Each structure stands twice: as C-alpha cells, then as structure tokens.
Amino acid sequence: MAIKIMKNFFTRIFFNLFKSKKNIKMGFYGPPNAGKTSLANRICKDFTGEEIGSVSKIPHETRNVQFKEEVEIDYKGKKMTFKMIDTPGIATKIDYEDFLKYKMKKSESKKRAKEATQGVIESIKWLDDMDVVVVVLDSTENPYNQVNITIIGNLAARKIPVLIVANKIDMKKSDIKRIEAAFPEYDIVGLSAKYGTNLEEFYESIFKLAKKI
Amino acid sequence: MKKGVGKLKGFTINFLPFSEIKSLDSTKRIRKVLDIILDNNILILQGRLKPEEETRLIEDTMAMIRHVKNFKGVELAVISGNENDGFFGKMKMGLANAISGSDFGAITIIGPATIVREIKRNPKKIELFLNR
C-alpha cells in the first residue's frame, strides 16, 4: 500500500513537471533575412518532417506569423514539446524600391512592402505571448543594429528567456566574436541553419533555456 | 566654400533635451518624436526611450509608411555612455534612470529613411550616411 502511494506521488510530481514543460511557446525573432525561417524549418523538418514556411533571398519573405504546433524535440534522450512561432523580420524602414532590385514588378513590390509593414507590427504584438525566444542574427552583419538591441531590450524588460543564434557561420564574413562582444550577458550559439551545422549545441541550449521558464 | 555642400540642404538637425518629453506619456512622446521626423528633421534626443517605447515607435512608423506619402520609415541608433560600466555600475545607473525616467548618458539619433540611408554604430561611435 505504502509503495503504491509513494509510486502515485512520484508519478504525479513527474507528470506535473513534464506538463509544465509541454508546448513551450518558442518564438523566432530578428531582423529580416537573418535566417529565422531557415532555422525554424530545419528544426521542424528534423522532428516533424514538415517545414514551417518558405525562404527567399528577397527580404521580408515571411510577412505573417507562422506556427507549428507540438514539435517534440528529442535530443540525447531528453524530450520537450514546443509550439514554434516564426515571426516576420523587424525593421525600422521598408521601401518598396528595394524589392525592385530583385526584379519584382512595381505593383508586386508595393504589395510586398505593405504586407511587410503589417508583419513587423504583428511580430511586435506577439512579443508578450512568448515563453522563450531565439533571436536569430546574421553573423556576417554588424550586430550593433538598433533593431537587435530593441528586440533584446524588450525581451529583457519582459523577463523572457533569450538565446541568441549567430547564423550563417558557413560564410567567410561570419564573425561570432563581434556578436559575443555586443551581447556579453547572453548565451550565443553559432550555427548554419542552411547546412545544419552545430545544431547539437543549439538543442542543448534550448533545453537549458526552457528550464528558465 | 566648395559648391556641392549645398546638396545636404533640405533638413535640419533638432536637439531635444529630455526635459521636453519627461512629463509626456509614451503616446505623446512618440508622437512628438515622429512629428519631428515627418518634418524631415534628424532628431538628436538626450537620453533614450524605454524598450517598450522603442517598439511602439517602430509599430507607429510601420503604420505611417502605409499612410504617409513618400515616408519610408526611420533610421535609429542609441549610443549609451554606460555600456562598459559592469554589473554594479549598471545597477546604480539603472536606479538613477528609474527615478529620472531615462538614461541621460545615452544619446538617441533618429532620422527619416529618405534622408538617413544608414546609421552605423559600434560601442563608441555613430556614423550617419545620408542619401544624396
């Protein structure tokens, strides 16, 4: 009898512990073209076989918040279930003429710009709903961009755990040290979402991050 | 003076002491900042906006791109004087800033994207690149 009670007690504790870590809302934030969707796709494909959204060289490809429910990440025997939320890139300016360089038609460019402005607003509105956030930065770019600082500052103010990903480490111009110097109080994982390089360290860090909730 | 310097005509640089926006609520602060930008001015603000005001500024900027002709957004940078103060220095500053409402050691530069092409910054300097 005593053994049964003890067993039930531990099962309940274990269940509650597991339950509290279920469907953790993980947001992907960052400036346009940093590789948010590429990384979210890589994770979703690894664990569900499906992608979350399309990627493109043209900035603001993601113009709506995209979701993938119940993505169970299974890493080294540990399992956690996430709701993945891929957000449009946050920018302070959007000019339709920038899209013309990619041989888009004027009307198409204007439409894309209009949708992109709405996407930025939507991204910001979603900030409050996240449990953890992965800030994806392009490691070939200057990290002292005010958009990066604003996003991270807002997450800190909301006490949302943050992991910074220095993406595109496969590129020659990549410089993770510059990102580490810019954000010394954060965990930074360098990876290539395109080639799936260093995903192990990313999953390890995500598990650590989820424990902070 | 050489001819050609005149190419930079068409905007002014406005300095806004924090005392001018200190008593305003967030909505009015952002309105004031955006009014200056929409008048084709580059704004140098003493101090900085709160993180939630910065995102609000971005949201309002995006809404205005859709509604104000030829407005393409803003370029924005904040340079803070206390970035290398360490934990206790930041805590001390944090308390002082919490009392006063903003980080007086910081300077915020905001310009319309039609005039300011890019603001490059590193911890110690800000470079403004203008559209010609």
Side-chain angles (χ1 to χ4, degrees):
Chain A
M1 184 67 183
I3 293 172
K4 199 176 175 187
I5 290 168
M6 287 292 278
K7 200 178 160 189
N8 283 346
F9 175 72
F10 283 114
T11 309
R12 217 166 43 235
I13 285 182
F14 180 75
F15 178 77
N16 285 337
L17 204 72
F18 193 71
K19 192 180 154 200
S20 67
K21 299 251 188 279
K22 212 172 177 201
N23 251 336
I24 297 160
K25 283 176 273 177
M26 176 159 64
F28 291 80
Y29 273 85
N33 262 27
K36 298 175 290 299
T37 309
S38 296
L39 179 59
N41 276 347
R42 173 69 62 179
I43 302 161
C44 288
K45 201 136 195 220
D46 278 356
F47 296 101
T48 69
E50 289 171 354
E51 294 191 334
I52 197 166
S54 61
V55 293
S56 164
K57 278 185 181 171
I58 309 170
H60 299 285
E61 177 67 8
T62 307
R63 299 185 294 284
N64 289 107
V65 175
Q66 312 179 117
F67 311 93
K68 185 66 89 180
E69 303 272 355
E70 306 222 350
V71 178
E72 189 183 63
I73 298 182
D74 183 346
Y75 177 70
K76 286 188 179 169
K78 288 182 269 183
K79 285 180 185 177
M80 258 186 208
T81 309
F82 293 89
K83 175 178 180 173
M84 311 266 285
I85 303 154
D86 180 30
T87 68
I90 296 179
T92 57
K93 60 178 181 183
I94 293 170
D95 184 356
Y96 81 89
E97 287 180 359
D98 289 341
F99 304 133
L100 298 175
K101 293 172 202 160
Y102 297 92
K103 293 180 182 167
M104 281 184 108
K105 284 180 189 163
K106 197 174 175 181
S107 59
E108 214 182 327
S109 300
K110 281 189 170 177
K111 186 172 173 266
R112 192 180 182 92
K114 198 177 168 185
E115 288 170 356
T117 58
Q118 190 52 45
V120 173
I121 295 171
E122 214 186 315
S123 284
I124 293 170
K125 294 248 182 288
W126 269 87
L127 270 172
D128 281 323
D129 292 305
M130 302 298 169
D131 294 324
V132 294
V133 165
V134 177
V135 175
V136 183
L137 303 181
D138 180 342
S139 64
T140 68
E141 297 282 337
N142 178 9
Y144 294 99
N145 173 333
Q146 193 56 38
V147 165
N148 302 342
I149 296 162
T150 299
I151 296 170
I152 293 168
N154 268 272
L155 293 165
R158 289 166 165 85
K159 296 188 168 62
I160 298 172
V162 173
L163 173 69
I164 299 176
V165 161
N167 191 24
K168 307 190 187 181
I169 58 162
D170 54 293
M171 295 182 84
K172 250 189 179 176
K173 271 174 71 188
S174 166
D175 188 350
I176 305 175
K177 286 204 171 117
R178 209 162 39 156
I179 297 180
E180 285 170 345
F183 304 105
E185 51 286 273
Y186 289 91
D187 280 338
I188 291 155
V189 177
L191 58 81
S192 165
K194 190 177 177 184
Y195 297 106
T197 317
N198 207 23
L199 265 281
E200 297 78 17
E201 194 188 337
F202 172 77
Y203 291 133
E204 192 105 27
S205 302
I206 281 298
F207 277 85
K208 262 193 239 164
L209 193 72
K211 281 180 189 161
K212 291 182 187 170
I213 302 169
Chain B
M1 195 181 279
K2 267 186 182 177
K3 271 188 180 179
V5 175
K7 277 181 180 175
L8 294 179
K9 273 182 184 172
F11 71 94
T12 54
I13 295 178
N14 269 26
F15 176 70
L16 191 64
F18 193 75
S19 56
E20 293 248 348
I21 58 164
K22 193 181 170 185
S23 59
L24 302 179
D25 62 32
S26 292
T27 307
K28 283 180 184 160
R29 273 184 191 185
I30 289 154
R31 184 75 190 266
K32 186 159 185 128
V33 166
L34 279 174
D35 280 348
I36 293 170
I37 305 300
L38 286 168
D39 261 353
N40 272 352
N41 298 305
I42 294 175
L43 170 67
I44 298 179
L45 170 72
Q46 181 194 18
R48 65 180 305 169
L49 298 170
K50 294 175 198 158
E52 61 271 26
E53 288 173 343
E54 282 180 9
T55 43
R56 178 78 188 278
L57 176 74
I58 296 174
E59 282 181 279
D60 290 0
T61 299
M62 290 298 122
M64 279 190 169
I65 292 175
R66 281 180 286 154
H67 296 114
V68 179
K69 208 181 167 191
N70 295 329
F71 182 63
K72 293 169 180 177
V74 299
E75 270 293 334
L76 163 75
V78 180
I79 192 157
S80 182
N82 63 338
E83 279 177 355
N84 296 319
D85 284 352
F87 181 71
F88 289 106
K90 274 183 184 166
M91 242 175 67
K92 208 165 73 183
M93 284 305 291
L95 194 67
N97 294 333
I99 295 163
S100 65
S102 186
D103 176 1
F104 287 124
I107 289 172
T108 305
I109 301 177
I110 313 171
T114 41
I115 294 171
V116 183
R117 177 164 49 87
E118 195 184 356
I119 303 178
K120 275 190 187 170
R121 60 153 287 189
N122 67 39
K124 286 176 187 162
K125 92 177 163 183
I126 285 186
E127 291 172 283
L128 258 76
F129 297 87
L130 304 178
N131 280 314
R132 287 174 177 236

